[in-house]
Amino acid sequence: MRITRITAAVGALALAMAAAACSGGSSDSTGDGTPFPAGSTMERLYEAKRLRVGTKFDQPGFGLQQPDTGVIKGFDVEIAKIIARSLGIPTSAIEYTETPSTIREQVLQQDRVDIVVATYTINDKRKQVVDFAGPYYVAGQTLMVRIDDTSITGPDSLKDGKKKVCSVKNSTPAATIVKYLQDSAKQLELFDTYQKCVEELQNERVDAVTTDNVILTGLIASNEGQFALAGSPFTEEPYGIGVKKGDNDFRTFINDALEASFHDGSYLKAWKLTAGKFDPNDPLIPTIDRY
Ligand code: GLU
């Protein structure tokens, strides 16, 4: 996947405005006051003035429910807000539904949400049942261990069959790690949420947690002094925005909105406000896959 580092957005205003015009669709194509094609998902959402978003509630930096206010904060939430704004929907009118990895396809298929923005890796298996806009970020799978454990240096350290690892059901890291295990029935514990894996690691019932580096970085930062990353990323996890299968116009619209955000500064601002707090590097801007 070709990726280019964000360069200063200064001077890109004209480009940003052009891109925003494409994404928003400024002409009234219906003649009845909505700026979107008649019968499109965009028109329906614009008229309903509501966007239903599936996201994570327990992943610091990407989607985390604040214990005091109940508000969900994170990069995925900010990406959802960028899409809401481009649809003309106030961000206060977004309704969030918790979508752990196990139910992301289901909530789209059952029309319980309009989009899923939930550290959701684009892959061919998932594309059989949902579609993806994006990617808007490319993560990579790695391992997290207790801070004083030097015995695990990467997935190969699991090959002797002695270590136990925790991950989440229906996640790509859970599927990938199996290749490094002698006996996954004994070595792999699967839960619905990463928070559960954190508890398992704290209680020494497992030796490692595996998922995307950015999720682990958030967990490390919010459990200070307890955990560390072990080794480097060993997969590519391009994060997409899940939409109902076959809604190509909506997918194109979201892709346009994402591309506009890459140029107008709102993407970088969203990152710095959230996951960027745990990561000194600006994200690499992915190339949108308009399949
Ligand atoms: N990105 C991976 C996936 O979509 C892991 C993160 C997650 O479970 O949300 O399966």
Side-chain angles (χ1 to χ4, degrees), residues 56 101 104 118-121 126 171-173 194 211-212 215 239:
K56 300 294 184 76
S101 305
R104 291 176 294 196
T119 59
Y120 199 4
T121 296
R126 291 172 177 168
S171 70
T172 47
Y194 293 105
T211 187
D212 304 337
I215 298 175
Y239 288 175

Side-chain angles (χ1 to χ4, degrees), residues 187-204:
Q187 285 183 270
L188 181 59
E189 280 212 45
L190 294 176
F191 292 98
D192 283 340
T193 65
Y194 293 105
Q195 199 45 50
K196 205 74 187 102
C197 284
V198 166
E199 289 162 30
E200 293 292 284
L201 190 59
Q202 280 167 333
N203 298 332
E204 306 198 9

Side-chain angles (χ1 to χ4, degrees), residues 113-128:
V113 300
D114 302 303
I115 55 173
V116 169
V117 197
T119 59
Y120 199 4
T121 296
I122 302 170
N123 66 27
D124 288 342
K125 185 175 167 227
R126 291 172 177 168
K127 274 190 198 165
Q128 287 173 12

